[in-house]
Amino acid sequence: MSTFLVWLMATAIGGAVASNYYAQPLLDSIAAEYAVSYTSVGIIVTVAQIGYGAGLLLLVPLGDKLEKRNLICIMTLISASGLLISGLSPSLPFLLLGTAITALFSVVTQLLIPFGAQLARPEVRGRIVGVLMSGLLMGILLGRTISGGLSAFGSWRIVYFVAAAFMSVVAVLLWKLLPQHRNEKQISYVQLLLSIRHLFATEPVLRSRSLMGALSFGLFTLFWTPLSFLLSAPPYGFSDAIIGLFGLTGAAGALSASWAGRLADKGRTNWAVVLGLVMMLVSWIPIGFSPVSIIALIVGVVFLDFAVQLVHVSNMNSVIKLDPEQRSRLNASYMTAYFVGGASGSFLAALIYQNYGWMGITITGLAVSLLLLVLGLHDLQRERRSG
């Protein structure tokens, strides 16, 4: 793999996953235009997470059956069409439709990551996965920043038009530069889906890492979903553009993704997971002071994003090495659980914030983080004994 191809794949991953987060700093503006409540507009984030989860379960396994380059490019173009529908939407239901289409096919990210791992040399595979996962995280974070910035030029709809054009260009470049690849062993689509259930039943590492991933990403969306509500209200009263800039504060997570990949190459994956779980718990202390201190908010974001990505990339490296012949399905299994956790977190966040405010978000985050730390330590100890 050339350096340019690695970074092109990372850019494609970032652009695809960013599509599911453009709405977050815009929720207040969208709610105002459509005259709906915060709870109603918060469904946009939930639909994105559910759509992504459905795509992981139903589409990503096709990477072990169909020719990968064709599949990747077609899915990228369909995802771009969903962005166009969102930009043209006359009402919230149409915006939800566009969001669902985009999210369903933006799982192309989870075809690119195992494909990159497959193309990489074994001695640098963890590092390559780390770079690709950095692209994913930067997409999540910069998606908010770019979204808020572009909306300042006139309307939140501009964000979706620009994103649709960008992803179309990315699809063309991937078509020209990706090598063709099809698995020699062919099985039916039904067998693909049934094999995912079999993987969960027979791979304890997959089960434990999937639970850790689901809870950690649930904490991530629990924080980010209501953040625009907090920052648009007094005493802050920030615009969409300023709210979007807060995505930059989580860029430290991109560094942790690369670091986690290097640690995986050195066989220190479990050490990285423990560190991430501890940092995740600690992050909710400054986050609790966010309504009165912008510095505390920034510190909390840096800790939370760094921790979530450290755990996630470490989990990914542990999962995809279980069986090279089933990397797409292993990845689909893990990431389905991951985004089900994210969808649950975003759904609960809107309800909790509407009824209990930021204090409710903080208490929930602390409780789930503590539970995750206990479960994670127990599962890692069990893996060590069985390994």
Side-chain angles (χ1 to χ4, degrees), residues 146-289:
I146 293 169
S147 175
L150 286 176
S151 69
F153 288 95
S155 169
W156 57 265
R157 297 177 186 274
I158 294 175
V159 177
Y160 290 99
F161 295 143
V162 172
F166 175 75
M167 291 309 296
S168 298
V169 172
V170 166
V172 173
L173 290 174
L174 290 173
W175 175 264
K176 290 181 174 296
L177 296 175
L178 281 178
Q180 289 188 315
H181 185 274
R182 182 193 295 269
N183 278 5
E184 293 182 5
K185 184 179 179 180
Q186 291 295 301
I187 61 175
S188 70
Y189 181 64
V190 173
Q191 288 175 315
L192 279 174
L193 297 184
L194 291 177
S195 67
I196 292 177
R197 179 181 177 182
H198 177 72
L199 285 172
F200 268 115
T202 58
E203 295 286 358
V205 172
L206 175 61
R207 292 197 301 270
S208 63
R209 298 305 177 119
S210 296
L211 179 59
M212 272 191 272
L215 290 175
S216 64
F217 196 51
L219 288 168
F220 187 86
T221 58
L222 179 74
F223 168 79
W224 281 102
T225 299
L227 183 62
S228 63
F229 303 145
L230 174 71
L231 296 178
S232 62
Y236 298 119
F238 293 149
S239 66
D240 290 348
I242 299 298
I243 293 171
L245 288 175
F246 277 84
L248 295 176
T249 62
L255 300 177
S256 75
S258 179
W259 187 42
R262 293 175 185 273
L263 289 174
D265 287 335
K266 296 177 181 178
R268 304 184 67 183
T269 300
N270 289 354
W271 182 88
V273 171
V274 172
L275 177 61
L277 295 178
V278 172
M279 289 182 65
M280 211 176 300
L281 176 62
V282 172
S283 70
W284 288 97
I285 298 173
I287 285 174
F289 292 94

Side-chain angles (χ1 to χ4, degrees), residues 199-373:
L199 285 172
F200 268 115
T202 58
E203 295 286 358
V205 172
L206 175 61
R207 292 197 301 270
S208 63
R209 298 305 177 119
S210 296
L211 179 59
M212 272 191 272
L215 290 175
S216 64
F217 196 51
L219 288 168
F220 187 86
T221 58
L222 179 74
F223 168 79
W224 281 102
T225 299
L227 183 62
S228 63
F229 303 145
L230 174 71
L231 296 178
S232 62
Y236 298 119
F238 293 149
S239 66
D240 290 348
I242 299 298
I243 293 171
L245 288 175
F246 277 84
L248 295 176
T249 62
L255 300 177
S256 75
S258 179
W259 187 42
R262 293 175 185 273
L263 289 174
D265 287 335
K266 296 177 181 178
R268 304 184 67 183
T269 300
N270 289 354
W271 182 88
V273 171
V274 172
L275 177 61
L277 295 178
V278 172
M279 289 182 65
M280 211 176 300
L281 176 62
V282 172
S283 70
W284 288 97
I285 298 173
I287 285 174
F289 292 94
S290 297
V292 295
S293 171
I294 203 71
I295 300 300
L297 172 60
I298 292 172
V299 171
V301 171
V302 170
F303 269 67
L304 180 63
D305 285 359
F306 191 96
V308 168
Q309 292 308 313
L310 195 59
V311 172
H312 178 46
V313 176
S314 300
N315 285 343
M316 283 282 292
N317 275 292
S318 294
V319 167
I320 63 176
K321 72 179 184 181
L322 292 174
D323 185 348
E325 293 297 320
Q326 300 188 80
R327 280 202 176 103
S328 290
R329 278 165 283 174
L330 285 165
N331 191 43
S333 303
Y334 171 77
M335 292 302 299
T336 298
Y338 191 72
F339 276 88
V340 166
S344 301
S346 61
F347 178 75
L348 290 174
L351 292 177
I352 292 170
Y353 187 80
Q354 185 87 28
N355 293 288
Y356 303 103
W358 197 256
M359 183 57 68
I361 296 292
T362 303
I363 292 174
T364 304
L366 279 168
V368 175
S369 294
L370 182 59
L371 173 64
L372 178 56
L373 178 60

Side-chain angles (χ1 to χ4, degrees), residues 114-138:
F115 194 22
Q118 189 167 16
L119 295 175
R121 299 192 311 273
E123 65 270 19
V124 295
R125 182 167 292 135
R127 192 177 310 170
I128 295 298
V129 170
V131 171
L132 298 181
M133 289 304 303
S134 293
L136 185 143
L137 176 62
M138 294 306 293

